[in-house]
Amino acid sequence: MDKAKPTGTPDGTVPDATGDSHGTTAQPGGSATAPDASTSPGTDTTTPPRPVGLTKADPAAEPVEVAAPTVPGQAEEAAVPPATEPPATVPAPRAGGAPDAVVPAQQQAPAERPRPLHAPDPYSTPPYGEPGPWAPAPPVQRPVPTPAHGTYLPPGTPAHGTPVPPVPEAGPAQGGEWGRYDPWAAPGALVAESGGGPGERRRDRRAGRGRLVGAALVLALVAGAVGGYVGMRLERHGGLGTVELEQTSGQAGERAPDSVAGIAARTLPGVVTLHVSGGDGGALGTGFVLDGRGHILTNQHVVESASDGGSIRVTFNGGETARARLVGGDPGYDLAVVKVSGVSGLTPLPLGDSDDVQVGDPVVAIGAPFDLANTVTSGIISAKERPITAGGEKGDGTDISYVDALQTDAPINPGNSGGPLVDERARVIGINSAIHAAGGPARQDDSAGSVGLGFAIPVNQAKRVAEELINHGRATHPVIGVTLDMGYEGEGAKVGGEAAGGGPAVTPGGPADRTDIAAGDVITEVDGVPVASGEELIIKIRSHRPGDRLALTVERDGESRRVTLELGSSDPS
């Protein structure tokens, strides 16, 4: 006899562990076979129930109970059998006409499909077929929080693995979120303590950042507005309030006497500015007071136009003006003396010694360059005994001056002519007379400016000439009594063949004649100093007084000899 089959289960099928009735197919003999692998997913492979003859139950056979499928998470529902009626049965005809067997009702009418244990999946994604008794996912089994293995536990603490009752929730711990973190706490404890999940914390952080960004924007706008206002005030008014600049208080102290300021303070009261007008035009120059009687020394080329009936106006350092007259002048020395009358309180300048001046000594020049009165410049002595010639505008040589000059780099310009060149003790050591212009030495009335090469007449020579002009109205010139060949191009000064007008080149009975100097001789040295031309010989002689003795080196027919003579005197023509 066949064993009895469970009632209410389609023939030949056994529910699988999930409650799905299309898992495996029971085979005769108690074995089960898997569904055909070639069957496509989603196709119902369950063989529909077919009519099978059933025999009466064997009294000796024990009834087989099939456990109702259990749905995880629904224990109460699994305990109650589904409220379904057993399938109706009708007696089946037996061989011989006895209705011993029971025939299932499915043979007579199609049965309803089993109803799923829960509502259909809203996304219509059945797990393995169409459709099926879907079951919810099993519940998450979380570990019970217990102390870590190896942790010391006080007496009475449950053993390891024993569930520990949850600890009552405490208030917020100090130290922030990480201070409340318990590494052995159950998952979700930190979220519960912090008062929200990760999404909530992120929203809080984003809200905090938003507030910070907003505050920064407001601060930037305020700062920009304030900066714009301050910039506007600075541009329009130079500041936010009245500007008051600091200034050191106290009176200026006395300057050192040898400083430029000290020298200028002592020299300026004795310096005057000259404005000359006459038939040949006007001139501008400088002079300085020689004595208390009103004598003023200046250059001849400054007052030259006044000799033809012109006028001279003198302006003193304090601004007072006075008329002056020409006392005398000498073009060969480029020196002249004028005198003012009716003026008191004059400040004469002291005269120094130009022979004691050394190259490199500091000097100060004072004058009226380009009619800028009382201008002070400073420099040093660049060279001594620099032979220069100036003038020569007339063409006959009567206006040429021969000067054994002091060279200075103190700026001298047109208008400085006749002004004093003083040393560090405010003593006059020279009279500014010429500057070096492009093309050679030139006088101060040229339009050229200073190039750092200025020339001054030594005061020792100027003193002698000034005294002669004041006392006699004219100055004498030292001479040796020869006429020079100014066209000679060799080294030295050559005595000419004859004098002007056809007379002899060597003045009979003169200093040169008494020392046996003859026409054609070449003078190469004066007091041991070489001379290169006739101009230099004249300059060397003019730097001495009449009666001074000179040692000359003379060459004749290739032989040199040394002679000594006493300088004579001549009145200017």
Side-chain angles (χ1 to χ4, degrees):
M1 291 180 64
D2 294 334
K3 289 184 180 182
K5 299 177 183 168
T7 306
T9 303
D11 186 27
T13 62
V14 178
D16 60 8
T18 62
D20 195 352
S21 62
H22 50 275
T24 56
T25 305
Q27 298 293 332
S31 62
T33 60
D36 190 357
S38 63
T39 306
S40 62
T43 306
D44 189 1
T45 58
T46 305
T47 306
R50 61 182 183 277
V52 177
L54 301 178
T55 59
K56 290 184 179 181
D58 189 355
E62 295 180 359
V64 178
E65 294 182 4
V66 179
T70 302
V71 178
Q74 299 178 359
E76 291 87 359
E77 295 180 8
V80 179
T84 56
E85 295 180 359
T89 59
V90 294
R94 187 180 177 183
D100 293 337
V102 180
V103 179
Q106 289 90 331
Q107 298 180 4
Q108 301 177 359
E112 278 187 338
R113 178 173 244 169
R115 188 174 58 186
L117 299 179
H118 56 83
D121 183 11
Y123 299 99
S124 301
T125 55
Y128 298 107
E130 173 67 31
W134 303 283
V140 177
Q141 301 296 325
R142 294 184 173 86
V144 177
T146 60
H149 183 68
T151 305
Y152 171 77
L153 299 175
T157 305
H160 181 70
T162 305
V164 178
V167 179
E169 191 172 314
Q174 299 296 328
E177 181 178 344
W178 290 106
R180 299 192 302 272
Y181 174 72
D182 182 5
W184 306 106
L190 183 62
V191 175
E193 291 179 4
S194 61
E200 237 180 273
R201 290 197 300 274
R202 284 194 295 270
R203 285 192 295 272
D204 292 342
R205 286 196 294 270
R206 283 195 294 269
R209 285 196 295 268
R211 288 191 292 271
L212 290 176
V213 171
L217 290 176
V218 172
L219 180 61
L221 291 175
V222 172
V226 173
Y229 175 76
V230 172
M232 180 269 292
R233 292 287 301 180
L234 291 175
E235 180 182 0
R236 295 184 179 180
H237 307 289
L240 299 177
T242 302
V243 177
E244 294 183 2
L245 303 178
E246 295 184 2
Q247 186 176 13
T248 58
S249 59
Q251 297 179 354
E254 294 292 333
R255 299 297 187 265
D258 58 348
S259 66
V260 175
I263 295 170
R266 289 183 288 170
T267 305
L268 281 170
V271 180
V272 300
T273 302
L274 302 176
H275 292 85
V276 181
S277 62
D280 294 337
L284 169 69
T286 306
F288 62 93
V289 178
L290 290 173
D291 54 30
R293 294 190 295 176
H295 292 104
I296 296 171
L297 183 63
T298 186
N299 282 138
Q300 168 64 23
H301 71 266
V302 172
V303 297
E304 185 176 6
S305 60
S307 59
D308 296 333
S311 64
I312 303 172
R313 180 167 55 91
V314 176
T315 303
F316 293 91
N317 179 61
E320 303 87 353
T321 60
R323 292 288 179 178
R325 65 177 180 86
L326 179 60
V327 174
D330 191 308
Y333 291 112
D334 195 20
L335 292 171
V337 174
V338 298
K339 184 180 180 181
V340 294
S341 300
V343 178
S344 62
L346 298 177
T347 305
L349 297 185
L351 304 181
D353 187 354
S354 56
D355 291 340
D356 291 338
V357 175
Q358 299 296 324
V359 174
D361 285 348
V363 292
V364 173
I366 301 178
F370 302 103
D371 205 11
L372 299 174
N374 307 319
T375 297
V376 179
T377 57
S378 64
I380 61 169
I381 295 296
S382 303
K384 291 179 61 178
E385 300 178 355
R386 186 73 76 187
I388 65 167
T389 58
E393 286 82 3
K394 292 184 177 180
D396 56 1
T398 58
D399 62 337
I400 297 177
S401 58
Y402 300 89
V403 180
D404 201 18
L406 297 174
Q407 180 181 329
T408 179
D409 66 348
I412 296 176
N413 292 285
N416 277 108
S417 292
L421 183 70
V422 299
D423 61 10
E424 59 183 355
R425 296 184 182 179
R427 300 176 303 183
V428 179
I429 59 172
I431 293 84
N432 302 319
S433 298
I435 60 174
H436 186 85
R443 287 185 175 172
Q444 289 281 268
D445 52 358
D446 287 353
S447 59
S450 173
V451 293
L453 295 173
F455 304 97
I457 301 170
V459 73
N460 289 2
Q461 180 177 344
K463 177 180 179 295
R464 181 186 66 85
V465 174
E467 291 173 346
E468 290 183 352
L469 293 175
I470 293 172
N471 296 325
H472 309 290
R474 62 183 185 273
T476 59
H477 297 171
V479 295
I480 62 173
V482 297
T483 300
L484 299 178
D485 182 4
M486 303 304 291
Y488 177 69
E489 296 181 355
E491 289 293 326
K494 184 178 181 180
V495 180
E498 61 182 16
V506 178
T507 304
D513 186 35
R514 292 194 298 265
T515 56
D516 195 21
I517 294 177
D521 289 348
V522 178
I523 301 172
T524 59
E525 293 181 357
V526 175
D527 291 337
V529 178
V531 294
S533 64
E535 287 84 358
E536 287 193 17
L537 178 60
I538 296 173
I539 292 169
K540 294 299 182 183
I541 294 172
R542 293 280 180 91
S543 65
H544 292 80
R545 295 172 180 265
D548 291 346
R549 297 183 65 85
L550 296 180
L552 304 179
T553 301
V554 182
E555 288 185 359
R556 181 185 295 174
D557 298 331
E559 295 181 1
S560 296
R561 61 190 179 93
R562 189 179 183 91
V563 299
T564 301
L565 55 77
E566 183 179 340
L567 294 176
S569 176
S570 70
D571 293 333
S573 56

